[in-house]
Amino acid sequence: MAGCASLGKGGRVEYITLEATGYCKCGECCGWRRNLLLQPVYAYGPMEGEKKKIGITASGTKAKKGTIAADTSVFPFGTRMRIPGYGDGVVEDRGGAIQGGKIDLFFKTHKQALEWGRQMVTVEVRYP
Ligand SMILES: [Zn+2]
């Protein structure tokens, strides 16, 4: 976790090697299930049983290709990343298991997320 370029605060660029996994909006990837009324609810964690909006990120945006989940204490919302093999994205989401040097990349389908799997990638990071 060492940066090698600095352009001052805001717009600072670093190249960081991160463990990138893939996810989609499905219940398996995002920890939701349907209750008896078939409404989507959190499957576990502190919000268990509470209603969940499917496909809406922690920052309130609609999840789409290019949406990245990260540890926002390291990469705040709005951090842009260029990920080899995936493309450009923005940190708009977070997840319980996504901490430190881990990121999660959004894919449209579960199959695509599985195909990405788990990869170590050197990412160009531009802080907001
Ligand atoms: Zn999925």
Side-chain angles (χ1 to χ4, degrees):
M1 292 275 291
C4 59
S6 177
L7 302 175
K9 283 193 170 95
R12 189 162 54 98
V13 177
E14 287 184 346
Y15 292 87
I16 304 174
T17 301
L18 299 169
E19 181 183 316
T21 47
Y23 76 114
C24 78
K25 65 184 178 187
C26 82
E28 194 181 323
C29 289
C30 294
W32 62 268
R33 59 178 169 77
R34 291 191 189 277
N35 65 15
L36 291 178
L37 304 177
L38 300 181
Q39 297 157 329
V41 296
Y42 288 89
Y44 45 78
M47 301 279 281
E48 182 175 353
E50 302 280 335
K51 275 193 197 169
K52 165 133 175 86
K53 286 184 187 153
I54 299 168
I56 302 298
T57 66
S59 65
T61 60
K62 193 168 184 288
K64 56 191 173 300
K65 182 81 194 289
T67 295
I68 301 168
D71 181 343
T72 51
S73 68
V74 183
F75 306 110
F77 288 141
T79 301
R80 285 175 285 160
M81 295 183 177
R82 176 159 292 167
I83 300 135
Y86 179 76
D88 292 354
V90 184
V91 175
E92 297 178 323
D93 207 0
R94 59 184 158 219
I98 306 303
Q99 296 189 342
K102 291 184 181 173
I103 54 173
D104 217 358
L105 307 173
F106 187 86
F107 289 87
K108 267 175 98 169
T109 68
H110 193 69
K111 184 167 175 283
Q112 288 173 324
L114 286 181
E115 279 168 2
W116 173 271
R118 181 182 301 272
Q119 300 184 31
M120 295 303 293
V121 284
T122 299
V123 174
E124 180 182 325
V125 178
R126 283 173 192 267
Y127 295 93

